[in-house]
Amino acid sequence: MKTPSSLEELIAALRCLPGVGPKSAQRMAYHLLQRDKQGALRLSYSLTNAVQGIRHCAKCNNFSEEEICVLCSSGKRDESLLCVVEMPADLLMMEQTQSYRGMYFVLMGRLSPLDGIGARELPLDRLVRRAQELPCEVILATNFTVEGEATAHYTATLLRAQGIRVSRIARGLPVGGELEHVDSGTLAQAILERREVMG
Amino acid sequence: MKTPSSLEELIAALRCLPGVGPKSAQRMAYHLLQRDKQGALRLSYSLTNAVQGIRHCAKCNNFSEEEICVLCSSGKRDESLLCVVEMPADLLMMEQTQSYRGMYFVLMGRLSPLDGIGARELPLDRLVRRAQELPCEVILATNFTVEGEATAHYTATLLRAQGIRVSRIARGLPVGGELEHVDSGTLAQAILERREVMG
Protein backbone atom coordinates (compact mmCIF):
# COMPACT_ATOMS: atom_id res chain seq x y z
CA MET A 1 0.00 0.00 0.00
CA LYS A 2 1.41 3.37 -1.00
CA THR A 3 0.55 6.83 0.24
CA PRO A 4 0.01 9.13 -2.79
CA SER A 5 3.35 10.78 -3.54
CA SER A 6 2.15 14.39 -3.30
CA LEU A 7 0.68 13.60 0.13
CA GLU A 8 3.93 11.91 1.20
CA GLU A 9 5.86 14.95 -0.02
CA LEU A 10 3.56 17.31 1.91
CA ILE A 11 4.07 15.27 5.11
CA ALA A 12 7.85 15.42 4.60
CA ALA A 13 7.75 19.17 3.91
CA LEU A 14 5.74 19.89 7.08
CA ARG A 15 8.66 18.46 9.08
CA CYS A 16 10.59 21.70 8.40
CA LEU A 17 8.39 23.34 11.06
CA PRO A 18 10.03 23.38 14.50
CA GLY A 19 8.50 20.88 16.93
CA VAL A 20 6.69 18.92 14.22
CA GLY A 21 7.54 15.21 14.12
CA PRO A 22 6.32 12.50 11.73
CA LYS A 23 2.99 11.88 13.54
CA SER A 24 2.08 15.59 13.81
CA ALA A 25 3.06 16.17 10.18
CA GLN A 26 0.74 13.36 9.10
CA ARG A 27 -2.10 14.70 11.23
CA MET A 28 -1.58 18.21 9.83
CA ALA A 29 -1.57 16.99 6.22
CA TYR A 30 -4.76 14.95 6.73
CA HIS A 31 -6.44 17.87 8.43
CA LEU A 32 -5.57 20.32 5.67
CA LEU A 33 -6.61 18.02 2.81
CA GLN A 34 -9.77 16.85 4.53
CA ARG A 35 -11.05 19.94 6.29
CA ASP A 36 -9.15 23.06 5.26
CA LYS A 37 -7.98 23.21 1.65
CA GLN A 38 -8.56 26.98 1.66
CA GLY A 39 -6.28 27.31 4.68
CA ALA A 40 -3.63 25.20 2.97
CA LEU A 41 -3.65 27.38 -0.15
CA ARG A 42 -3.55 30.52 1.97
CA LEU A 43 -0.58 29.12 3.91
CA SER A 44 1.17 28.18 0.69
CA TYR A 45 0.75 31.71 -0.64
CA SER A 46 1.82 33.34 2.64
CA LEU A 47 4.98 31.26 2.83
CA THR A 48 6.17 32.24 -0.66
CA ASN A 49 5.13 35.82 -0.06
CA ALA A 50 6.95 36.15 3.27
CA VAL A 51 10.11 34.41 2.04
CA GLN A 52 10.24 36.76 -0.94
CA GLY A 53 9.17 39.93 0.89
CA ILE A 54 10.86 39.76 4.29
CA ARG A 55 14.46 40.78 4.89
CA HIS A 56 16.38 42.15 7.87
CA CYS A 57 16.37 45.85 8.71
CA ALA A 58 19.86 47.22 7.98
CA LYS A 59 19.87 49.02 11.31
CA CYS A 60 18.12 46.87 13.94
CA ASN A 61 18.27 43.49 12.17
CA ASN A 62 14.55 42.88 12.87
CA PHE A 63 12.35 41.39 10.13
CA SER A 64 11.27 44.11 7.76
CA GLU A 65 9.77 44.60 4.31
CA GLU A 66 11.85 47.74 3.83
CA GLU A 67 15.62 48.36 3.82
CA ILE A 68 15.12 50.27 7.10
CA CYS A 69 12.18 49.19 9.28
CA VAL A 70 9.32 51.43 10.41
CA LEU A 71 10.68 51.76 13.95
CA CYS A 72 14.25 52.67 12.93
CA SER A 73 13.06 55.22 10.37
CA SER A 74 10.41 56.82 12.60
CA GLY A 75 12.71 59.60 13.82
CA LYS A 76 10.71 59.81 17.06
CA ARG A 77 12.82 57.39 19.10
CA ASP A 78 15.54 58.12 21.65
CA GLU A 79 18.82 57.38 19.87
CA SER A 80 20.86 57.44 23.08
CA LEU A 81 19.53 54.01 24.06
CA LEU A 82 19.99 50.73 22.17
CA CYS A 83 18.17 47.71 23.55
CA VAL A 84 19.50 44.29 22.52
CA VAL A 85 16.91 41.46 22.42
CA GLU A 86 17.11 37.87 21.22
CA MET A 87 13.98 37.66 19.05
CA PRO A 88 11.36 39.93 17.41
CA ALA A 89 8.80 38.63 19.95
CA ASP A 90 10.95 40.10 22.75
CA LEU A 91 10.95 43.46 20.98
CA LEU A 92 7.15 43.34 20.80
CA MET A 93 7.02 42.64 24.56
CA MET A 94 9.34 45.60 25.24
CA GLU A 95 7.11 47.85 23.12
CA GLN A 96 4.01 46.69 24.99
CA THR A 97 5.43 48.06 28.24
CA GLN A 98 5.30 51.53 26.63
CA SER A 99 8.11 52.59 28.97
CA TYR A 100 10.98 52.25 26.49
CA ARG A 101 11.30 54.70 23.62
CA GLY A 102 14.86 53.96 22.47
CA MET A 103 16.25 52.00 19.53
CA TYR A 104 16.62 48.22 19.23
CA PHE A 105 18.95 45.57 17.94
CA VAL A 106 17.55 42.07 17.37
CA LEU A 107 20.14 39.28 17.56
CA MET A 108 17.76 36.72 15.97
CA GLY A 109 19.09 34.09 18.31
CA ARG A 110 21.32 33.49 21.30
CA LEU A 111 24.64 31.79 21.95
CA SER A 112 23.72 28.12 22.02
CA PRO A 113 26.64 25.79 21.29
CA LEU A 114 24.39 22.71 21.51
CA ASP A 115 22.36 24.03 18.56
CA GLY A 116 25.53 25.00 16.69
CA ILE A 117 25.04 28.72 17.30
CA GLY A 118 28.32 30.31 18.33
CA ALA A 119 29.40 33.97 18.39
CA ARG A 120 30.02 33.89 14.62
CA GLU A 121 26.42 32.95 13.91
CA LEU A 122 25.15 36.08 15.68
CA PRO A 123 25.47 39.57 14.07
CA LEU A 124 27.62 40.89 16.94
CA ASP A 125 29.98 42.88 14.69
CA ARG A 126 26.96 44.70 13.25
CA LEU A 127 25.75 45.39 16.80
CA VAL A 128 29.10 46.93 17.76
CA ARG A 129 29.14 49.13 14.61
CA ARG A 130 25.55 50.22 15.26
CA ALA A 131 26.35 51.12 18.89
CA GLN A 132 29.37 53.16 17.79
CA GLU A 133 27.40 54.89 15.06
CA LEU A 134 24.61 56.16 17.34
CA PRO A 135 26.50 56.47 19.94
CA CYS A 136 24.48 55.17 22.86
CA GLU A 137 24.11 53.17 26.04
CA VAL A 138 23.42 49.53 25.21
CA ILE A 139 20.77 47.82 27.35
CA LEU A 140 21.09 44.03 27.23
CA ALA A 141 17.60 42.50 27.39
CA THR A 142 18.36 38.90 26.47
CA ASN A 143 16.51 36.24 28.46
CA PHE A 144 17.60 35.19 31.94
CA THR A 145 18.18 31.64 30.75
CA VAL A 146 21.61 30.01 30.67
CA GLU A 147 21.96 30.83 26.96
CA GLY A 148 20.59 34.35 27.32
CA GLU A 149 22.95 35.10 30.22
CA ALA A 150 25.94 33.75 28.30
CA THR A 151 24.94 35.90 25.32
CA ALA A 152 24.64 38.99 27.53
CA HIS A 153 28.02 38.31 29.15
CA TYR A 154 29.79 37.77 25.83
CA THR A 155 28.14 40.78 24.19
CA ALA A 156 28.93 43.03 27.16
CA THR A 157 32.63 42.09 26.98
CA LEU A 158 32.74 42.89 23.26
CA LEU A 159 31.00 46.25 23.63
CA ARG A 160 32.92 47.40 26.68
CA ALA A 161 36.20 46.66 24.88
CA GLN A 162 35.09 49.41 22.47
CA GLY A 163 34.39 51.80 25.32
CA ILE A 164 30.62 51.50 24.92
CA ARG A 165 28.46 51.85 28.04
CA VAL A 166 26.51 48.65 28.72
CA SER A 167 23.70 47.82 31.16
CA ARG A 168 21.53 44.78 31.83
CA ILE A 169 17.80 44.82 32.64
CA ALA A 170 17.12 44.09 36.32
CA ARG A 171 16.42 40.75 37.91
CA GLY A 172 14.13 40.57 40.92
CA LEU A 173 10.67 39.72 42.09
CA PRO A 174 7.88 40.19 39.55
CA VAL A 175 5.36 42.97 40.21
CA GLY A 176 2.71 41.44 42.50
CA GLY A 177 5.16 38.68 43.43
CA GLU A 178 5.14 37.09 46.88
CA LEU A 179 8.33 35.98 48.63
CA GLU A 180 6.68 32.73 49.61
CA HIS A 181 6.15 31.70 46.00
CA VAL A 182 9.26 32.99 44.26
CA ASP A 183 12.17 30.65 43.51
CA SER A 184 15.23 31.02 45.74
CA GLY A 185 17.55 32.01 42.87
CA THR A 186 15.37 35.00 42.00
CA LEU A 187 15.08 35.99 45.67
CA ALA A 188 18.87 35.73 46.12
CA GLN A 189 19.37 38.03 43.11
CA ALA A 190 16.76 40.45 44.43
CA ILE A 191 18.71 40.70 47.69
CA LEU A 192 22.05 41.14 45.89
CA GLU A 193 20.64 43.80 43.58
CA ARG A 194 18.70 45.66 46.30
CA ARG A 195 18.26 49.41 45.88
CA GLU A 196 18.50 52.06 48.55
CA VAL A 197 15.13 53.54 49.50
CA MET A 198 15.23 57.29 49.07
CA GLY A 199 13.50 59.40 51.72
CA MET B 1 5.75 49.18 16.39
CA LYS B 2 4.32 47.07 13.59
CA THR B 3 5.21 43.54 12.50
CA PRO B 4 5.72 43.54 8.69
CA SER B 5 2.36 42.63 7.10
CA SER B 6 3.60 39.61 5.12
CA LEU B 7 5.10 38.21 8.34
CA GLU B 8 1.86 38.90 10.22
CA GLU B 9 -0.09 37.21 7.44
CA LEU B 10 2.22 34.15 7.58
CA ILE B 11 1.73 33.88 11.34
CA ALA B 12 -2.04 34.05 10.88
CA ALA B 13 -1.96 31.47 8.07
CA LEU B 14 0.08 29.00 10.16
CA ARG B 15 -2.83 28.95 12.63
CA CYS B 16 -4.76 26.75 10.16
CA LEU B 17 -2.54 23.85 11.27
CA PRO B 18 -4.14 21.75 14.01
CA GLY B 19 -2.59 22.29 17.44
CA VAL B 20 -0.81 25.51 16.43
CA GLY B 21 -1.66 28.52 18.61
CA PRO B 22 -0.43 32.12 18.31
CA LYS B 23 2.90 31.53 20.11
CA SER B 24 3.80 28.41 18.08
CA ALA B 25 2.79 30.12 14.85
CA GLN B 26 5.10 33.02 15.67
CA ARG B 27 7.96 30.67 16.54
CA MET B 28 7.44 28.71 13.31
CA ALA B 29 7.39 31.85 11.17
CA TYR B 30 10.60 33.19 12.78
CA HIS B 31 12.30 29.83 12.37
CA LEU B 32 11.40 29.54 8.68
CA LEU B 33 12.41 33.10 7.79
CA GLN B 34 15.57 33.01 9.85
CA ARG B 35 16.87 29.48 9.38
CA ASP B 36 14.98 27.59 6.69
CA LYS B 37 13.77 29.62 3.72
CA GLN B 38 14.33 26.63 1.46
CA GLY B 39 12.08 24.52 3.67
CA ALA B 40 9.42 27.25 3.61
CA LEU B 41 9.42 27.38 -0.19
CA ARG B 42 9.31 23.59 -0.40
CA LEU B 43 6.37 23.52 2.02
CA SER B 44 4.59 26.22 0.01
CA TYR B 45 4.99 24.20 -3.18
CA SER B 46 3.95 20.92 -1.53
CA LEU B 47 0.79 22.46 -0.11
CA THR B 48 -0.44 23.76 -3.47
CA ASN B 49 0.60 20.55 -5.16
CA ALA B 50 -1.19 18.28 -2.68
CA VAL B 51 -4.37 20.41 -2.60
CA GLN B 52 -4.52 20.32 -6.39
CA GLY B 53 -3.47 16.68 -6.84
CA ILE B 54 -5.14 14.78 -4.02
CA ARG B 55 -8.76 13.60 -4.12
CA HIS B 56 -10.67 10.74 -2.55
CA CYS B 57 -10.70 7.25 -4.07
CA ALA B 58 -14.22 6.61 -5.44
CA LYS B 59 -14.23 3.18 -3.82
CA CYS B 60 -12.43 3.33 -0.46
CA ASN B 61 -12.56 7.11 0.15
CA ASN B 62 -8.83 7.16 1.02
CA PHE B 63 -6.63 9.97 -0.30
CA SER B 64 -5.57 9.20 -3.85
CA GLU B 65 -4.11 10.86 -6.91
CA GLU B 66 -6.23 8.64 -9.18
CA GLU B 67 -10.00 8.16 -9.49
CA ILE B 68 -9.51 4.66 -8.00
CA CYS B 69 -6.56 4.20 -5.63
CA VAL B 70 -3.72 1.71 -6.09
CA LEU B 71 -5.06 -0.65 -3.43
CA CYS B 72 -8.65 -0.77 -4.74
CA SER B 73 -7.52 -1.31 -8.33
CA SER B 74 -4.86 -3.93 -7.53
CA GLY B 75 -7.20 -6.89 -8.15
CA LYS B 76 -5.20 -8.98 -5.69
CA ARG B 77 -7.26 -8.25 -2.59
CA ASP B 78 -9.96 -10.33 -0.93
CA GLU B 79 -13.25 -8.63 -1.89
CA SER B 80 -15.27 -10.57 0.69
CA LEU B 81 -13.88 -8.40 3.49
CA LEU B 82 -14.31 -4.66 3.91
CA CYS B 83 -12.44 -3.04 6.79
CA VAL B 84 -13.73 0.33 8.02
CA VAL B 85 -11.11 2.65 9.58
CA GLU B 86 -11.25 6.26 10.74
CA MET B 87 -8.15 7.68 9.08
CA PRO B 88 -5.56 6.83 6.38
CA ALA B 89 -2.97 6.34 9.16
CA ASP B 90 -5.12 3.52 10.57
CA LEU B 91 -5.19 1.86 7.16
CA LEU B 92 -1.38 2.02 7.03
CA MET B 93 -1.20 0.36 10.47
CA MET B 94 -3.55 -2.41 9.30
CA GLU B 95 -1.38 -2.99 6.24
CA GLN B 96 1.75 -3.18 8.37
CA THR B 97 0.34 -6.21 10.21
CA GLN B 98 0.43 -8.05 6.85
CA SER B 99 -2.38 -10.25 8.13
CA TYR B 100 -5.27 -8.51 6.39
CA ARG B 101 -5.67 -8.76 2.63
CA GLY B 102 -9.21 -7.45 2.19
CA MET B 103 -10.60 -4.12 1.00
CA TYR B 104 -10.93 -0.90 3.01
CA PHE B 105 -13.23 2.01 3.57
CA VAL B 106 -11.79 5.15 5.17
CA LEU B 107 -14.35 7.32 7.01
CA MET B 108 -11.95 10.29 7.20
CA GLY B 109 -13.21 11.04 10.67
CA ARG B 110 -15.42 9.76 13.45
CA LEU B 111 -18.71 10.78 15.03
CA SER B 112 -17.73 13.68 17.24
CA PRO B 113 -20.63 16.01 18.06
CA LEU B 114 -18.35 18.35 20.03
CA ASP B 115 -16.35 19.01 16.85
CA GLY B 116 -19.53 19.35 14.81
CA ILE B 117 -19.09 15.99 13.10
CA GLY B 118 -22.37 14.12 13.04
CA ALA B 119 -23.51 11.16 10.94
CA ARG B 120 -24.17 13.45 7.96
CA GLU B 121 -20.56 14.60 7.88
CA LEU B 122 -19.31 11.01 7.43
CA PRO B 123 -19.69 9.18 4.09
CA LEU B 124 -21.83 6.43 5.64
CA ASP B 125 -24.23 6.16 2.68
CA ARG B 126 -21.25 5.52 0.40
CA LEU B 127 -20.02 2.86 2.83
CA VAL B 128 -23.39 1.07 2.74
CA ARG B 129 -23.49 1.17 -1.10
CA ARG B 130 -19.92 -0.12 -1.28
CA ALA B 131 -20.68 -3.00 1.13
CA GLN B 132 -23.76 -3.97 -0.92
CA GLU B 133 -21.84 -3.75 -4.18
CA LEU B 134 -19.05 -6.14 -3.14
CA PRO B 135 -20.90 -7.94 -1.18
CA CYS B 136 -18.84 -8.62 1.90
CA GLU B 137 -18.43 -8.88 5.65
CA VAL B 138 -17.70 -5.45 7.13
CA ILE B 139 -15.01 -5.35 9.84
CA LEU B 140 -15.27 -2.24 11.99
CA ALA B 141 -11.77 -1.13 12.96
CA THR B 142 -12.49 2.33 14.37
CA ASN B 143 -10.58 3.27 17.53
CA PHE B 144 -11.63 2.06 20.97
CA THR B 145 -12.16 5.63 22.12
CA VAL B 146 -15.59 7.00 23.07
CA GLU B 147 -15.97 8.55 19.60
CA GLY B 148 -14.64 5.47 17.79
CA GLU B 149 -16.98 3.17 19.71
CA ALA B 150 -19.96 5.42 19.01
CA THR B 151 -19.03 5.46 15.32
CA ALA B 152 -18.74 1.65 15.26
CA HIS B 153 -22.09 1.26 17.00
CA TYR B 154 -23.90 3.66 14.68
CA THR B 155 -22.31 2.20 11.55
CA ALA B 156 -23.09 -1.38 12.62
CA THR B 157 -26.77 -0.49 13.09
CA LEU B 158 -26.93 1.08 9.62
CA LEU B 159 -25.22 -1.85 7.92
CA ARG B 160 -27.14 -4.60 9.71
CA ALA B 161 -30.42 -2.91 8.75
CA GLN B 162 -29.39 -3.69 5.15
CA GLY B 163 -28.69 -7.33 6.02
CA ILE B 164 -24.91 -6.86 5.84
CA ARG B 165 -22.73 -8.99 8.11
CA VAL B 166 -20.73 -6.83 10.53
CA SER B 167 -17.88 -7.61 12.94
CA ARG B 168 -15.67 -5.57 15.27
CA ILE B 169 -11.93 -6.11 15.84
CA ALA B 170 -11.20 -7.68 19.24
CA ARG B 171 -10.43 -5.89 22.47
CA GLY B 172 -8.10 -7.51 24.99
CA LEU B 173 -4.60 -7.46 26.38
CA PRO B 174 -1.88 -6.36 23.97
CA VAL B 175 0.62 -9.00 22.85
CA GLY B 176 3.33 -9.08 25.53
CA GLY B 177 0.94 -7.34 27.94
CA GLU B 178 1.04 -8.04 31.67
CA LEU B 179 -2.11 -8.19 33.82
CA GLU B 180 -0.39 -6.08 36.48
CA HIS B 181 0.08 -3.16 34.13
CA VAL B 182 -3.08 -3.19 32.04
CA ASP B 183 -6.02 -0.89 32.87
CA SER B 184 -9.01 -2.51 34.52
CA GLY B 185 -11.40 -1.67 31.66
CA THR B 186 -9.28 -3.57 29.17
CA LEU B 187 -8.92 -6.51 31.56
CA ALA B 188 -12.69 -6.60 32.16
CA GLN B 189 -13.27 -6.72 28.38
CA ALA B 190 -10.64 -9.43 27.99
CA ILE B 191 -12.55 -11.53 30.54
CA LEU B 192 -15.93 -10.89 28.90
CA GLU B 193 -14.59 -11.70 25.43
CA ARG B 194 -12.60 -14.77 26.52
CA ARG B 195 -12.21 -17.57 23.98
CA GLU B 196 -12.41 -21.29 24.61
CA VAL B 197 -9.04 -23.04 24.47
CA MET B 198 -9.16 -25.82 21.93
CA GLY B 199 -7.44 -29.12 22.83
Side-chain angles (χ1 to χ4, degrees), chain A residues 1 4-6 9 12-13 16 26 30 34-37 42 44 46 48 54 56 63 65 71 88-89 108, chain B residues 1 4-6 9 12-13 16 26 30 34-37 42 44 46 48 54 56 63 65 71 88-89 108 117:
Chain A
M1 173 55 202
S5 63
S6 58
E9 166 54 26
C16 75
Q26 201 179 49
Y30 291 167
Q34 183 63 16
R35 311 223 175 272
D36 198 4
K37 288 195 175 185
R42 179 184 169 198
S44 169
S46 305
T48 308
I54 298 277
H56 293 284
F63 290 125
E65 277 163 343
L71 193 147
M108 293 287 172
Chain B
M1 171 57 200
S5 63
S6 58
E9 166 53 29
C16 75
Q26 200 179 50
Y30 292 166
Q34 183 64 14
R35 310 223 178 274
D36 197 4
K37 288 195 176 184
R42 180 184 168 200
S44 169
S46 305
T48 308
I54 298 277
H56 293 283
F63 290 125
E65 276 162 344
L71 193 147
M108 293 287 173
I117 302 173

Side-chain angles (χ1 to χ4, degrees), chain A:
Chain A
M1 173 55 202
K2 286 198 199 74
T3 303
S5 63
S6 58
L7 175 57
E8 219 164 40
E9 166 54 26
L10 173 58
I11 293 172
L14 282 164
R15 298 283 306 276
C16 75
L17 299 170
V20 174
K23 288 271 172 190
S24 317
Q26 201 179 49
R27 194 165 51 94
M28 286 173 169
Y30 291 167
H31 172 85
L32 292 176
L33 291 173
Q34 183 63 16
R35 311 223 175 272
D36 198 4
K37 288 195 175 185
Q38 278 310 311
L41 290 177
R42 179 184 169 198
L43 177 55
S44 169
Y45 172 80
S46 305
L47 282 163
T48 308
N49 212 30
V51 167
Q52 286 168 355
I54 298 277
R55 49 180 158 176
H56 293 284
C57 168
K59 292 192 171 171
C60 73
N61 197 42
N62 196 3
F63 290 125
S64 170
E65 277 163 343
E66 323 294 332
E67 168 78 12
I68 309 292
C69 76
V70 182
L71 193 147
C72 286
S73 58
S74 82
K76 293 178 187 164
R77 312 280 308 198
D78 179 356
E79 298 207 336
S80 69
L81 292 173
L82 180 64
C83 177
V84 177
V85 293
E86 295 180 15
M87 297 299 292
D90 303 327
L91 187 157
L92 292 177
M93 284 305 294
M94 289 289 295
E95 285 296 285
Q96 275 176 31
T97 66
Q98 299 194 348
S99 65
Y100 180 76
R101 301 299 297 163
M103 311 303 287
Y104 287 98
F105 191 88
V106 185
L107 293 176
M108 293 287 172
R110 62 206 66 85
L111 289 182
S112 179
L114 288 179
D115 301 321
I117 302 171
R120 278 192 196 173
E121 276 67 46
L122 296 179
L124 296 175
D125 46 345
R126 280 183 53 203
L127 167 61
V128 173
R129 279 204 305 279
R130 178 73 180 140
Q132 287 171 326
E133 164 192 312
L134 280 170
C136 59
E137 173 191 340
V138 173
I139 303 174
L140 298 173
T142 55
N143 292 327
F144 285 102
T145 56
V146 176
E147 289 94 346
E149 288 279 46
T151 310
H153 183 78
Y154 188 90
T155 310
T157 313
L158 265 187
L159 291 164
R160 295 188 60 197
Q162 303 296 322
I164 298 162
R165 204 175 143 208
V166 183
S167 60
R168 179 89 168 102
I169 55 169
R171 269 174 303 197
L173 266 71
V175 174
E178 296 172 354
L179 264 69
E180 191 183 343
H181 299 116
V182 89
D183 69 292
S184 56
T186 301
L187 189 53
Q189 280 296 339
I191 297 167
L192 268 179
E193 297 180 16
R194 66 190 179 279
R195 298 176 62 178
E196 196 177 338
V197 181
M198 299 302 185

